Amino acid sequence: MTVSLTAQAAPADEISAYITKSTKAAWDVVGLPAGTPLKPIRKVGVLGAGTMGGGISMNFANVGIAVTIVEIQQAALDRGLGVIRKNYQNSADKGRFPQEEVGVRMGLLTGSLDRADLADCDLIIEAVFEDMGVKKEIFADLDRICKQGAILATNTSYLDINEIASVTKRPQDVIGLHFFSPANVMKLLEIVRGKHTSDAVVATSMDLAKKINKVAALAGVCPGFIGNRMLARRGQAAGYLLQAGAMPWDIDAAFNKFGFKMGPYQMSDLAGLDIGWKPGAKTANPLRDMICERTPRRGQKSGAGYYDYDAARNGTPSPEVEAIVKEYQANSGVPARKVSHDVTWLNGYGFPQDKGGPMFLGDKVGAKRVLEVVERVSKVVPEIKVSNLLRKLAAEGGKFADLPAQPIKV
Ligand SMILES: NC(=O)c1ccc[n+]([C@@H]2O[C@H](COP(=O)([O-])OP(=O)(O)OC[C@H]3O[C@@H](n4cnc5c(N)ncnc54)[C@H](O)[C@@H]3O)[C@@H](O)[C@H]2O)c1
């Protein structure tokens, strides 16, 4: 399938004005009363020192806020703090801040194996395994341990925040703070408002996002919230291309050519192949299940994922994965065909800035052309459906940029 969506390059100032306008609009929360009182956040607790917990903690230490990081195992805590120190050291060596800052920032981080140490935190962010049972046990305990008025946040990628909040006696204080990997680098912070989350907790979270130099996007509770919901469709489309004969690195190459720093398989290697997987699992991503079941490949953190990695984390296509992909393709029942590199999808992370974002690009090519492309893709990828709004815009010649902001549904 070749689906090309290209537009004439727009002038840089037009793109930058559009990005500024849309970023500004994301801060205006429809329905949040002006002057909602903010809660002071002086001390933060983070549960889990893994891929996300470490990066999340850095965001606060970077702006002088003390963080207590709680783990279940000493080895995981040591590893997590070691990664943070290495990251800070790399930044100092590159001249991003003075050498003594490494010690200052590390001095703001306290490791612990005891949840009771979170008792005096104003905000606690849970970043442990993506498992509802584990998260519920933690939130019930946080409800018992944490001081009244503390914000109890989860970094869950997909789980129902209302269900997590239901095990506490203070669902008004529970919210999703969904960081993106690497959490100390990526600008986006999805703030996920639950059914009972108070205005003060939403307003404080939006304000905090600014303080830690993030761009906030408020979401309601739904599977995958905003980013991962879009990403799921992209993943499904990539999955169909794999079945039809493309290799993961062919698909990534198309994304790289379009301007994304990472394609879906490069990103999966960064995030970890085992997110949402456990032994015996049959998920919506059967190739990933096969790789995790048969090999210790878990992405960059294990030195191997879809790609093989050297010590500097440079990836090269893996012959072991190629053999598994070929077996997967042979069993998929989808006739093999040549898949062109010229394939782009509308939505995703790290959308190239010089293309202005999916909506900007959509307006550049026009809603009519977007409709044609989405209709074509939806014939191959049944999970992708054409929205009524897109049909309406195409019929009326409307623009994505002119769509009014909507209150989120909770
Ligand atoms: N990796 C990503 O790209 C990404 C992005 C956004 C959100 N998330 C979400 O963040 C959460 C964490 O993901 P991750 O990739 O950092 O996982 P990870 O496996 O890298 O780290 C999880 C850490 O939690 C620790 N842990 C487990 N149970 C614990 C407990 N009861 N108390 C304290 N620590 C405990 C583990 O020892 C481990 O170090 C998940 O909910 C995931 O869905 C992940």
Side-chain angles (χ1 to χ4, degrees):
M1 172 180 50
T2 299
V3 179
S4 173
L5 196 60
T6 48
Q8 286 221 312
D13 51 352
E14 187 188 344
I15 292 172
S16 109
Y18 173 80
I19 292 176
T20 308
K21 189 175 150 220
S22 49
T23 306
K24 206 160 154 262
W27 291 109
D28 298 329
V29 176
V30 180
L32 191 68
T36 302
L38 302 178
K39 289 165 176 269
I41 305 291
R42 298 190 189 95
K43 192 169 175 202
V44 171
V46 172
L47 279 140
T51 308
M52 295 306 290
I56 292 172
S57 302
M58 288 174 75
N59 286 303
F60 295 100
N62 292 348
V63 295
I65 298 177
V67 185
T68 299
I69 308 175
V70 173
E71 255 291 343
I72 31 171
Q73 296 168 40
Q74 187 64 46
L77 186 58
D78 293 345
R79 194 176 51 237
L81 287 168
V83 171
I84 296 177
R85 179 176 285 281
K86 207 167 128 201
N87 285 340
Y88 279 145
Q89 193 56 57
N90 282 343
S91 298
D93 292 347
K94 285 182 186 150
R96 294 204 182 119
F97 47 67
Q99 288 289 340
E100 52 271 26
E101 261 302 301
V102 176
V104 172
R105 295 186 193 195
M106 287 308 294
L108 287 164
L109 305 174
T110 309
S112 165
L113 297 179
D114 186 358
R115 277 183 210 163
D117 288 340
L118 301 172
D120 63 342
C121 291
D122 304 301
L123 161 70
I124 297 94
I125 305 173
E126 166 279 308
V128 310
F129 303 137
E130 184 76 343
D131 180 297
M132 182 57 94
V134 175
K135 298 208 192 267
K136 277 184 164 174
E137 186 272 322
I138 286 178
F139 272 74
D141 213 25
L142 291 179
D143 190 26
R144 195 178 55 76
I145 292 168
C146 298
K147 69 179 182 189
Q148 285 306 311
I151 298 179
L152 308 183
T154 172
N155 184 49
T156 182
S157 307
Y158 286 95
L159 298 175
D160 181 342
I161 287 165
N162 294 326
E163 192 177 338
I164 296 174
S166 73
V167 300
T168 74
K169 287 190 239 28
R170 38 172 127 171
Q172 73 281 2
D173 293 332
V174 178
I175 195 161
L177 291 182
H178 184 219
F179 291 80
F180 289 71
S181 177
N184 52 316
V185 177
M186 298 307 284
K187 289 297 248 180
L188 185 63
L189 177 63
E190 283 182 356
I191 295 177
V192 190
R193 178 170 206 162
K195 204 166 164 186
H196 300 291
T197 312
S198 71
D199 283 345
V201 169
V202 173
T204 303
S205 301
M206 298 293 289
D207 183 65
L208 190 66
K210 262 189 198 146
K211 287 194 176 127
I212 59 170
N213 303 310
K214 298 288 180 197
V215 173
L218 186 67
V221 175
C222 63
F225 316 124
I226 304 171
N228 280 336
R229 205 157 84 157
M230 293 194 287
L231 208 63
R233 295 290 170 264
R234 191 180 84 167
Q236 279 150 351
Y240 282 98
L241 288 172
L242 267 184
Q243 287 183 340
M247 282 289 151
W249 31 94
D250 297 329
I251 296 171
D252 284 341
F255 276 92
N256 299 152
K257 194 172 154 216
F258 183 72
F260 281 88
K261 282 204 176 118
M262 285 191 209
Y265 299 96
Q266 291 158 329
M267 219 172 106
S268 176
D269 272 2
L270 180 75
L273 264 70
D274 49 347
I275 292 187
W277 178 86
K278 47 187 165 190
K282 297 243 175 304
T283 71
N285 186 346
L287 175 64
R288 181 275 301 268
D289 297 348
M290 276 169 84
I291 295 172
C292 285
E293 211 64 69
R294 293 188 194 177
T295 75
R297 295 175 164 273
R298 299 290 181 269
Q300 286 194 20
K301 63 185 170 186
S302 67
Y306 290 99
Y307 297 79
D308 291 330
Y309 291 91
D310 63 16
R313 297 202 169 195
N314 298 309
T316 43
S318 151
E320 187 182 21
V321 168
E322 183 165 349
I324 297 177
V325 174
K326 283 191 171 147
E327 184 187 328
Y328 169 70
Q329 288 167 339
N331 294 332
S332 72
V334 174
R337 60 199 150 94
K338 186 159 169 23
V339 179
S340 150
H341 272 196
D342 184 19
V343 174
T344 65
W345 287 273
L346 278 179
N347 302 309
Y349 296 1
F351 202 95
Q353 291 266 319
D354 66 351
K355 305 256 177 353
M359 299 300 170
F360 183 87
L361 181 64
D363 280 339
K364 281 287 149 198
V365 298
K368 223 170 134 204
R369 172 77 182 125
V370 175
L371 176 62
E372 279 166 27
V373 169
V374 178
E375 275 178 335
R376 255 186 87 187
V377 175
S378 69
K379 291 199 177 90
V380 185
V381 186
E383 292 87 351
I384 291 180
K385 309 231 174 346
V386 183
S387 77
N388 290 335
L389 183 61
L390 177 56
R391 287 194 197 287
K392 189 163 175 279
L393 281 185
E396 294 171 0
K399 286 187 155 228
F400 294 102
D402 296 338
L403 292 172
Q406 302 282 336
I408 58 155
K409 290 191 184 127
V410 290

